[in-house]
Amino acid sequence: MDTWRVIAAALLAAAGLPLVLVVMAKVRDRTRSSGQVALGGVITFTLLAVVGVLTLTVLPGVVSWALVAAVAAAASVMLLAG
């Protein structure tokens, strides 16, 4: 496994885990339903895990780094706007 893949996956996880929490908080604010909050968290975490595995295995470098940048930007905007 290439070193850049491991670094990209680690950065994706570091930016993605706060994103999962922010999504869960936004779902809680909108629905007030703990079931919907859990579902939102599971869906977001699953998507993050799938993208992380794809980053570690098959995605080309440009796509992997673009995903890392997009997730980091989304997490930053959601944290600053919240």
Side-chain angles (χ1 to χ4, degrees):
M1 193 171 304
D2 299 328
T3 304
W4 69 266
R5 289 187 181 274
V6 175
I7 293 170
L11 290 173
L12 186 65
L17 290 178
L19 183 64
V20 171
L21 297 175
V22 169
V23 167
M24 290 175 73
K26 293 216 178 267
V27 170
R28 185 196 65 221
D29 289 344
R30 292 174 195 242
T31 63
R32 304 271 186 216
S33 168
S34 59
Q36 291 295 322
V37 171
L39 184 62
V42 166
I43 290 171
T44 308
F45 184 77
T46 302
L47 287 174
L48 180 65
V50 168
V51 170
V53 169
L54 289 175
T55 298
L56 284 171
T57 56
V58 295
L59 289 178
V62 174
V63 176
S64 296
W65 289 111
L67 283 171
V68 169
V71 168
S76 298
V77 166
M78 289 180 89
L79 284 171
L80 290 174

